[in-house]
Amino acid sequence: MKLIPTMDRVLIAPQTTEAKSSGGIILPVHEDTKHGIGEILAVGYGRLADGNYVSLHESLQVGRKVLYRRQGGDEFRHDGVNYHAVWERDIVAVLSDAAIPGLKIPR
């Protein structure tokens, strides 16, 4: 079953983190940070503004890694996989090694 987010939501697969001690023992990582990193799996169709749907920003594409607020959106598990559905406004940054085509940064 394919999950498709509604409105201006973005479906993210959270990046799992684990720490190892110097002896190689896997240590639990506490989720006490405000932000998480994950990969975009699906993007909603946009938000309603003045009676028309406005598409999400072109930098939010499937496969991109993003930094997002953990407190925003909904966390859930489906078919044994963890997901996080966040609003577009809860995405803090797109993590990229290369420039994003068409991205204009206001000065």
Side-chain angles (χ1 to χ4, degrees), residues 3-5 8-16 36-44 60-70 72-77 81-94:
L3 297 172
I4 301 170
D8 61 336
R9 287 186 176 234
V10 178
L11 187 65
I12 296 174
Q15 181 175 327
T16 57
I37 295 175
E39 181 180 343
I40 296 177
L41 299 177
V43 178
L60 300 179
Q61 295 178 358
V62 173
R64 292 245 167 100
K65 289 207 182 279
V66 292
L67 177 71
Y68 64 95
R69 285 186 28 204
R70 287 186 192 271
D74 300 302
E75 292 184 33
F76 62 96
R77 190 172 179 84
V81 180
N82 292 327
Y83 296 99
H84 203 129
V86 299
W87 298 102
E88 177 186 24
R89 67 179 174 261
D90 292 327
I91 295 178
V92 178
V94 175

Side-chain angles (χ1 to χ4, degrees), residues 14-19 27-31 70:
Q15 181 175 327
T16 57
T17 56
E18 59 182 36
L27 304 170
V29 175
H30 299 289
E31 301 290 335
R70 287 186 192 271

Side-chain angles (χ1 to χ4, degrees), residues 11-57:
L11 187 65
I12 296 174
Q15 181 175 327
T16 57
T17 56
E18 59 182 36
K20 286 187 180 181
S21 69
S22 59
I25 298 172
I26 296 175
L27 304 170
V29 175
H30 299 289
E31 301 290 335
D32 59 353
T33 60
K34 289 183 180 181
H35 299 90
I37 295 175
E39 181 180 343
I40 296 177
L41 299 177
V43 178
Y45 48 85
R47 66 182 174 279
L48 193 59
D50 298 327
N52 298 315
Y53 282 102
V54 177
S55 297
L56 298 181
H57 195 274

